[in-house]
Amino acid sequence: MMIFGAIPLFFMELVLGQFHRTGAISVWKIAPIFKGIGMAECLISYYVAFYYNVIIAWALYYFIASFSRVLPWTRCDNDWNTDRCYTSANASAIPANGSSSTAEYFERAVLGLDSDSGIGHLGAPRWRLVLCLMGVFVILFFSLWKGVKSSGKVVWVTATMPYVVLSVLLVRGLMLPGATEGILYFITPRIDRLSDPSVWTDAAVQIFYSVGAGFGAHIAYASYNKYHNNCYRDCLLTAGINSATSIFSGFVIFSYLGFMAKRENVEIDEVAKWGPGLVFVVYPEAISVLPGSAIWSIIFFFMLITLGLDSAMGGLEAVLTAIKDEYSWFIKRHRYGREILTGVVCGTAFLFALQNVTNAGIYMLSMWDTFAAGTAILFVVFWQAVAVGWFYGLEQFCNDIEQMLGFRPDWYWRVCWKFVSPVFLFVIIVSSIASYNPLVYKTSTAGDYTYPPWANALGWVIASSSMVLVPVVAIWKLSSTPGTWSQKLAVNISPHWEHRAIMSGETKVKRFQVSTYPTHTTSVVFIVKL
């Protein structure tokens, strides 16, 4: 998925942003009919800010709670604990249907989750989480309000700090009993799982999330690069470092999971939880049994905060740059236009995020996480590959790269852009929809929560709200462009520098004919010089 999907489209986005010097919306002056792709990418990034920053707020909550003599999730005598609670100290004698003190702290003390909660009964926002969430958005605002001048400086801390902390945690984790078993579990392949379509869908979503393709962030940041910056090198280095970091962090995590499994005398599968349970239940429990646990906890959650802020800045910068470029007149008219725009985007995202810090907010967060940027991001990236490879044209795109970088992409890039990546994405999109199962959220203290049918329908509305922008904007562009239908179509699938010639009658449209026009290769409709 990385080699044939994420890397080619990552490089494509860097080229688009760096060559055309605009954000994710305005860049589609190369083919206006696909402007909805940029809008969809920005909307998805905006949606992600609703729930991703809540996870950072949880990390901030834990970070503050770690400044105590005894970590609060290591005890069972608190108001939020149940009679089924057990601690890491007595993990060898787990009661029937018992729940760990770390799970009860996360689900009951932090989230306020109980058996009466449900997505239809969210309740009021929890004030402690609201303050943490507000703190996260305030940090993001001051990191972004001056554009890349401010965010670029912050990234020096947020991008490098996790490597230092992970290295320290790995050294400590390798010294624990059971670490070897955990690492072996991590690196031992299970080839039979490749027959499961959900594995491929998860791989695609994960790598696009991890690399960041499809969110508009790379187009935004690349638009600030120098024109001849070697974005090809940047693409390969970033993708390589990204995957190496994932593997490295896997060693760190599974060394502790192996330790937990050995200590509780259970299989690693039973402690290797997915989702927030891994970060906010399993890892705090593993840290709590280490000497000087409070120090380790402070270090770990500080790392999570910096790591989260780094990703959150990229997503919001994609939105800010796209709006700034599309409505540059507003920014130029107002002295503090960038600051006002940043305040509006961060402020509204904060208000929408409040739904996820209520007593049942975890159910809303899980729904946003499943639908906002799952199938939707793959759908948008699919159309991005089609738009560049089949309408803007590979020949023109390769000419842009040669003019900017001094070389033409070889056959691997061409084949991926035109055939392999779109086909891969299309198959994954169809598989993800066909293999969809109604949402179920598993908790340790309140049992499994099955989402009602209307909640699943709402989730698909969220997913569709971004995907529908692609056809809706295409129809709007065709209907609002002056001229005959041939001219409308010709203008909207052509770069902006060809529009004057098209509208003046110097070019005409011929259907299903191989083009000799210098900026295009093949397409459904071709512009042919008279």
Side-chain angles (χ1 to χ4, degrees):
M1 280 299 162
M2 180 184 72
I3 293 172
F4 294 108
I7 290 181
L9 295 172
F10 179 17
F11 184 35
M12 176 186 287
E13 291 190 355
L14 293 180
V15 171
L16 287 174
Q18 186 169 308
F19 185 84
H20 298 284
R21 323 297 293 169
T22 57
I25 298 177
S26 299
V27 76
W28 292 104
K29 59 188 178 182
I30 63 175
I33 198 172
F34 294 106
K35 199 170 187 177
I37 294 174
M39 295 180 179
E41 289 179 342
C42 291
L43 184 59
I44 291 172
S45 293
Y46 186 57
Y47 282 165
V48 170
F50 298 173
Y51 64 89
Y52 188 81
N53 292 310
V54 173
I55 299 174
I56 306 175
W58 294 345
L60 180 59
Y61 190 105
Y62 272 78
F63 176 73
I64 296 172
S66 299
F67 287 91
S68 57
R69 188 172 59 86
V70 179
L71 295 175
W73 54 85
T74 60
R75 299 163 53 188
C76 281
D77 56 353
N78 302 288
D79 295 338
W80 60 79
N81 292 125
T82 67
D83 54 4
R84 299 185 293 113
C85 176
Y86 68 89
T87 65
S88 298
N90 60 2
S92 57
I94 300 176
N97 298 320
S99 56
S100 68
S101 58
T102 52
E104 292 196 353
Y105 179 78
F106 175 60
E107 295 178 359
R108 298 177 66 86
V110 179
L111 303 183
L113 195 62
D114 56 50
S115 57
D116 296 328
S117 300
I119 196 169
H121 304 86
L122 295 180
R126 299 177 64 79
W127 68 269
R128 290 184 177 87
L129 288 180
V130 171
L131 291 179
C132 291
L133 184 63
M134 184 182 298
V136 170
F137 274 101
V138 168
I139 294 172
L140 288 173
F141 171 77
F142 285 108
S143 299
L144 294 167
W145 70 327
K146 293 297 183 183
V148 293
K149 293 181 180 179
S150 57
S151 61
K153 296 176 181 177
V154 176
V155 165
W156 278 105
V157 177
T158 59
T160 56
M161 182 63 187
Y163 289 101
V164 176
V165 176
L166 283 173
S167 299
V168 173
L169 290 173
L170 178 61
V171 172
R172 183 65 185 90
L174 292 176
M175 299 168 62
L176 298 173
T180 302
E181 289 79 1
I183 291 174
L184 287 175
Y185 179 88
F186 171 54
I187 64 176
T188 302
R190 293 174 56 187
I191 304 300
D192 60 295
R193 292 300 308 279
L194 295 179
S195 62
D196 183 356
S198 65
V199 171
W200 292 88
T201 302
D202 290 343
V205 173
Q206 164 60 24
I207 195 63
F208 278 99
Y209 244 111
S210 188
V211 172
F215 291 93
H218 296 313
I219 296 177
Y221 278 115
S223 68
Y224 296 103
N225 283 344
K226 295 179 180 179
Y227 182 73
H228 294 292
N229 173 68
N230 192 347
C231 59
Y232 176 75
R233 175 200 59 199
D234 295 344
C235 169
L236 297 182
L237 281 177
T238 303
I241 293 173
N242 170 73
S243 293
T245 302
S246 297
I247 295 172
F248 178 58
S249 61
F251 278 99
V252 178
I253 291 171
F254 277 87
S255 64
Y256 285 88
L257 292 178
F259 164 66
M260 291 287 295
K262 186 176 182 65
R263 189 171 181 276
E264 298 181 14
N265 196 27
V266 296
E267 296 295 326
I268 297 177
D269 300 60
E270 298 183 36
V271 296
K273 299 181 179 180
W274 60 275
L278 175 63
V279 177
F280 297 100
V281 177
V282 175
Y283 226 88
E285 188 169 348
I287 290 175
S288 67
V289 300
L290 299 178
S293 57
I295 300 299
W296 292 109
S297 182
I298 291 171
I299 293 173
F300 176 72
F301 286 108
F302 182 70
M303 178 197 71
L304 283 186
I305 294 169
T306 58
L307 194 63
L309 289 173
D310 191 34
S311 299
M313 283 190 294
L316 286 176
E317 183 59 49
V319 179
L320 294 172
T321 298
I323 297 175
K324 177 180 68 69
D325 290 342
E326 189 70 8
Y327 302 99
S328 57
W329 57 268
F330 174 84
I331 303 298
K332 294 177 181 177
R333 179 179 299 179
H334 297 273
R335 180 180 178 183
Y336 298 105
R338 168 76 190 204
E339 290 83 351
I340 295 173
L341 176 61
T342 305
V344 170
V345 170
C346 290
T348 54
F350 166 73
L351 293 177
F352 281 114
L354 290 176
Q355 63 186 294
N356 298 318
V357 293
T358 58
N359 285 345
I362 184 63
Y363 300 137
M364 288 297 299
L365 185 145
S366 181
M367 184 178 70
W368 280 101
D369 185 33
T370 301
F371 290 100
T375 302
I377 196 68
L378 301 178
F379 177 86
V380 170
V381 174
F382 165 77
W383 281 107
Q384 178 177 287
V386 170
V388 174
W390 290 88
F391 286 84
Y392 183 56
L394 276 187
E395 189 66 26
Q396 177 63 52
F397 191 61
C398 292
N399 288 341
D400 296 345
I401 295 174
E402 185 175 21
Q403 178 181 333
M404 190 168 60
L405 302 181
F407 69 90
R408 294 181 71 82
D410 59 24
W411 63 270
Y412 160 76
W413 300 100
R414 292 167 175 262
V415 171
C416 285
W417 286 330
K418 190 126 188 173
F419 302 106
V420 178
S421 296
V423 170
F424 261 43
L425 288 167
F426 180 78
V427 171
I428 294 300
I429 291 168
V430 173
S431 298
S432 67
I433 296 174
S435 61
Y436 169 76
N437 293 313
L439 284 179
V440 176
Y441 187 83
K442 298 181 179 180
T443 69
S444 299
T445 61
D448 294 349
Y449 177 75
T450 301
Y451 284 69
W454 67 264
N456 287 273
L458 177 61
W460 282 111
V461 169
I462 292 172
S464 301
S465 64
S466 57
M467 294 190 287
V468 76
L469 288 175
V470 178
V472 166
V473 173
I475 294 171
W476 171 71
K477 294 296 292 184
L478 285 173
S479 60
S480 61
T481 301
T484 66
W485 278 106
S486 295
Q487 288 176 323
K488 290 173 181 285
L489 189 57
V491 164
N492 280 291
I493 65 170
S494 304
H496 68 98
W497 56 82
E498 297 177 4
H499 292 177
R500 184 185 298 273
I502 294 170
M503 299 306 293
S504 64
E506 296 178 14
T507 59
K508 65 179 181 180
V509 174
K510 289 186 179 180
R511 298 177 182 273
F512 306 106
Q513 179 175 332
V514 177
S515 172
T516 57
Y517 200 78
T519 59
H520 290 79
T521 51
T522 56
S523 178
V524 177
V525 180
F526 302 96
I527 311 300
V528 182
K529 201 168 186 178
L530 282 175

